[in-house]
Amino acid sequence: MSTHRTITVALAGNPNAGKSSLFNALTGAHQRVGNFPGVTIEKHEGFLDYKNYRITVVDLPGTYSLTPYSPEEIVTRRFIIDEKPDVVVNVVEGTNLERNLMLTVQLMEMEVDLLVALNMMDEVEEKGIAIDLDQLEQLFGSHIVPISARNRKGLDDLLDHVISVSEGCIEIRKNKITFSAEVEKAIDKISALLSRERELDAAANNRWLAIKLLENDREVYTQVQKYPVWVKVELALQEAIKECARLHSTDPEALITEDRHAFVHGAMQECVRKPKATRASVSDYIDMVVLNRVLGLPVFFLVVWAIFQLTFTLGSPLMDALDYAFGLLSETVAPHLPAGMVRSIFVDGVISGVGSVVVFLPNIVLLFMGLSFLEASGYMARAAFVIDKVMHRFGLHGKSFIPMITGFGCSIPAIMATRTLKSRSDRLATIMTIPFMSCGAKLPVYVLLAGAFFPPAMAANVMFGIYLLGIAVGLWTAWLLKSTVLKSDSEPFVMELPPYRWPTFTSVVFQARMKAVMYLKKAGTLILGAVILIWVASNFPRSAALEAELARETARIETLTVAPELKAERLQKLEARIEAGQLEYSLAGRSGKLLEPLIRPLGFDWKIGIALVTGLAAKEVVVSTLGTIYSIGQVADETSLSEILRSDSTFSQATALSLMVFVLLYIPCVAAVGVMKKEVGAWKPVLFYSAYVLTVAWIASFITYRLALMWM
């Protein structure tokens, strides 16, 4: 029986303070990833056993403050208040102390059991920065432990302090900042009023609540308004606002912020000594290039291009290998299963469904390794700064560009990559833009149709035009959303340029591994279910008449005295024709017939309607569905299919263009829709968006078809 005593530690800190590095160094492989309750922000939790203690570590989202303006700030604050961890470890970047200590001050105000982990002390020493730790501890009332998470230095000392704080062996004095006289007077008055509510007094720190009310904190307002004392509290707040306006021509919130800055600035002056800068550093020389007004944008495109080249160059052979492995698995498993529905659902449904997800995994891992490298190195912040001006013309944030570029590979990691955006409106606008990018799954459709109906030289131009059309519609959609329903709550772009660092291999691999696991858990289960659903819809109900015809004709062909090869060919054609008939008879086929009146103005018939429905599972399925319908077997041969489509009276250059435009713009695959719902947090906006993209796709295809009929 374990005798471990448990301690819960929450890691809080600014982005790029080394919080995740510390989390990885402490917990190693004992980690799990989930979401914080009610939101889509990742929750990283792990544990370690140290000196007969089991220490659970929760890595809170990186945040600059504890005001409830971003999801990260709200999650961090709620966790500290509601979960009440035994110790809060504030990870502070030693080389950027003044900015980091602003969060420390706000943690002090919460009067939690606080430890400060002064990280990157190796860089502090390299830069010749002298920090008076004893004096700093006196000012902040908390023990400060110097560490280097990247080099695993000082971790035992930090853990010893965690145990000592948890056991009460170290006194956290919980120093209070003294604000301006008018603010302190208002805090005292409001705190006294709040203490009259027993339930409120027992649940929260009244001084902190009073400060937050003076800061116009929406969450605390909602919390206090539930109690009768709110009437008197509101009067006290109005008095404080009037008094601050009369004496200082400003409001209490501004005074509180000024006082915090003054406290931190004073602590810096008293405790930190920096060497005088004598010459430009290597970082300064790099910034002269990457932040240059002329060179910055080309360098950014070059870096992104290199990441994609690396991703798809290295990933393609791995994808092919996985594709081959799943094909081999199907061939191995199929003979051991009874022929018919059981074999079909396992081979065509389960194995193919899982395979269609897993084959994308190498590219996803490589892409996220590249993005993690850029993020950890400090370049991503500079890239966002460079691209911000262009993206702002369409209402998007500079960081939106990275998910949009990622969308050319696959919408799922691209949507997940929007988590780097703090503002919900920026994140939503970017998510709604990504499905218009031409993901890799749409490429087989373009290749099939452009190759079948246009000469080679023109086919490349057609495909290039389709890609440009997707970008244009995506940016227009972003502008439309940010001008209307997502107009408010936009994140101001604050340039935070962390120093350049060489990321550790472990941290880059860790981030990629986490993303890969989430991809498999979320998209894998969704697409597997969808593929099985579509398999059922494409196979049921079955026509008894067609089954009888198949049996009758098979028996007749078997009796023919012809060469075995010719007999096999006739049987194959018969099965393909019967299968096409069953598809038309199935639920999916009937759906195509039902859709035909709606899509006929676009130049499509019911067969294309079926392909568009099944294409919701994955856009590549459009090609294989067309192949099945045109009786060339379950696996589409694109060359043969091209010839058949050219000879079909339904298809023309106008139809091909219209279909490419529709596939580009209509609803993304079900896996992307599922991940979109996960990121957005509700079905209503996703359903609204689906209706929007369907409308846009229909209108764009209609215009394309009609113009093409006139000119071709």
Side-chain angles (χ1 to χ4, degrees), residues 443-591:
L443 192 58
V445 183
Y446 303 158
V447 172
L448 170 68
L449 297 173
F453 293 95
F454 297 91
M458 194 174 176
N461 293 335
V462 168
M463 288 178 56
F464 184 65
I466 292 292
Y467 272 72
L468 290 183
L469 177 65
I471 296 171
V473 175
L475 291 176
W476 178 77
T477 298
W479 175 82
L480 183 65
L481 290 170
K482 294 291 286 185
S483 303
T484 54
V485 293
L486 298 178
K487 191 173 183 179
S488 61
D489 194 26
S490 182
E491 176 192 355
F493 183 65
V494 180
M495 187 181 70
E496 296 286 353
L497 299 179
Y500 289 106
R501 297 190 184 93
W502 190 257
T504 63
F505 180 75
T506 305
S507 66
V508 171
V509 170
F510 173 77
Q511 293 297 329
R513 182 171 68 88
M514 289 297 174
K515 294 293 186 298
V517 170
M518 289 185 65
Y519 172 74
L520 289 176
K521 280 184 178 177
K522 293 180 179 178
T525 51
L526 282 169
I527 201 167
L528 175 61
V531 166
I532 292 175
L533 197 64
I534 289 172
W535 179 90
V536 172
S538 302
N539 283 277
F540 295 98
R542 306 285 291 180
S543 167
L546 288 172
E547 296 284 1
E549 183 183 351
L550 177 63
R552 186 174 62 253
E553 288 297 312
T554 301
R556 186 182 65 78
I557 293 173
E558 291 289 354
T559 60
L560 294 177
T561 53
V562 296
E565 295 80 9
L566 183 58
K567 188 181 293 183
E569 184 183 346
R570 289 184 179 182
L571 285 172
Q572 189 177 9
K573 286 184 177 178
L574 171 66
E575 290 172 358
R577 183 172 62 80
I578 294 297
E579 196 60 35
Q582 291 287 14
L583 181 64
E584 184 178 351
Y585 187 78
S586 69
L587 186 61
R590 297 179 192 188
S591 301

Side-chain angles (χ1 to χ4, degrees), residues 47-115:
F47 71 87
L48 71 153
D49 294 326
Y50 182 77
K51 293 186 177 177
N52 213 33
Y53 288 85
R54 169 149 294 191
I55 301 175
T56 300
V57 184
V58 180
D59 187 11
L60 297 176
T63 178
Y64 295 107
S65 76
L66 296 176
T67 51
Y69 294 130
S70 74
E72 289 79 5
E73 292 166 345
I74 292 171
V75 162
T76 297
R77 199 172 82 174
R78 284 181 181 169
F79 185 87
I80 293 173
I81 293 173
D82 298 337
E83 302 298 326
K84 298 185 180 359
D86 299 308
V87 183
V88 176
V89 174
N90 178 204
V91 184
V92 170
E93 182 184 353
T95 54
N96 202 350
L97 200 55
E98 187 162 1
R99 187 193 69 187
N100 281 244
L101 288 177
M102 283 300 295
L103 179 63
T104 310
V105 168
Q106 294 173 69
L107 290 168
M108 284 169 54
E109 292 168 4
M110 298 181 77
E111 299 187 13
V112 295
D113 286 336
L114 180 69
L115 268 179

Side-chain angles (χ1 to χ4, degrees), residues 192-436:
L193 290 171
L194 294 174
S195 64
R196 297 178 188 175
E197 289 288 351
R198 289 184 180 178
E199 187 178 343
L200 203 57
D201 189 42
N205 172 355
N206 287 330
R207 178 180 170 84
W208 181 78
L209 288 178
I211 294 171
K212 288 297 159 188
L213 287 170
L214 289 166
E215 285 188 290
N216 198 25
D217 188 299
R218 290 168 296 178
E219 281 215 334
V220 175
Y221 258 70
T222 304
Q223 181 184 357
V224 178
Q225 280 172 338
K226 299 174 184 174
Y227 297 92
V229 75
W230 169 249
V231 178
K232 293 181 180 178
V233 170
E234 189 176 26
L235 288 174
L237 285 170
Q238 290 173 355
E239 286 177 12
I241 292 170
K242 288 179 184 176
E243 192 68 4
C244 290
R246 185 178 69 82
L247 296 175
H248 302 284
S249 300
T250 187
D251 54 35
E253 182 179 3
L255 285 176
I256 289 171
T257 304
E258 287 176 7
D259 289 339
R260 285 179 184 146
H261 277 285
F263 177 82
V264 172
H265 187 66
M268 289 292 295
Q269 293 298 316
E270 196 168 337
C271 304
V272 180
R273 294 289 179 270
K274 294 183 178 179
K276 292 183 180 178
T278 54
R279 58 189 175 86
S281 64
V282 175
S283 293
D284 295 330
Y285 286 121
I286 297 174
D287 280 345
M288 286 179 191
V289 177
V290 301
L291 297 180
N292 185 278
R293 290 186 176 183
V294 178
L295 297 175
L297 211 53
V299 169
F300 170 71
F301 283 116
L302 185 64
V303 170
V304 173
W305 177 83
I307 291 285
F308 268 80
Q309 284 294 317
L310 195 66
T311 297
F312 288 100
T313 301
L314 296 179
S316 293
L318 298 174
M319 285 180 64
D320 292 341
L322 281 174
D323 199 23
Y324 175 78
F326 275 96
L328 193 64
L329 179 64
S330 296
E331 292 177 7
T332 306
V333 170
H336 300 285
L337 295 173
M341 291 296 173
V342 175
R343 180 186 295 178
S344 180
I345 193 168
F346 274 97
V347 176
D348 301 332
V350 176
I351 296 177
S352 296
V354 173
S356 66
V357 173
V358 177
V359 292
F360 290 108
L361 194 59
N363 276 5
I364 288 171
V365 170
L366 290 168
L367 189 62
F368 273 107
M369 285 180 72
L371 294 177
S372 299
F373 181 87
L374 294 182
E375 181 78 38
S377 67
Y379 178 72
M380 194 66 90
R382 287 159 175 85
F385 173 76
V386 168
I387 204 72
D388 183 66
K389 187 178 291 184
V390 178
M391 300 303 288
H392 263 286
R393 292 181 182 176
F394 298 95
L396 290 172
H397 194 276
K399 290 181 180 177
S400 301
F401 193 71
I402 298 298
M404 288 175 65
I405 289 291
T406 309
F408 283 109
C410 179
S411 295
I412 294 170
I415 292 171
M416 292 165 63
T418 60
R419 295 182 178 195
T420 56
L421 295 161
K422 293 180 181 176
S423 163
R424 178 171 172 78
S425 65
D426 289 337
R427 188 181 301 172
L428 289 177
T430 307
I431 287 174
M432 304 306 177
T433 303
I434 288 169
F436 293 117

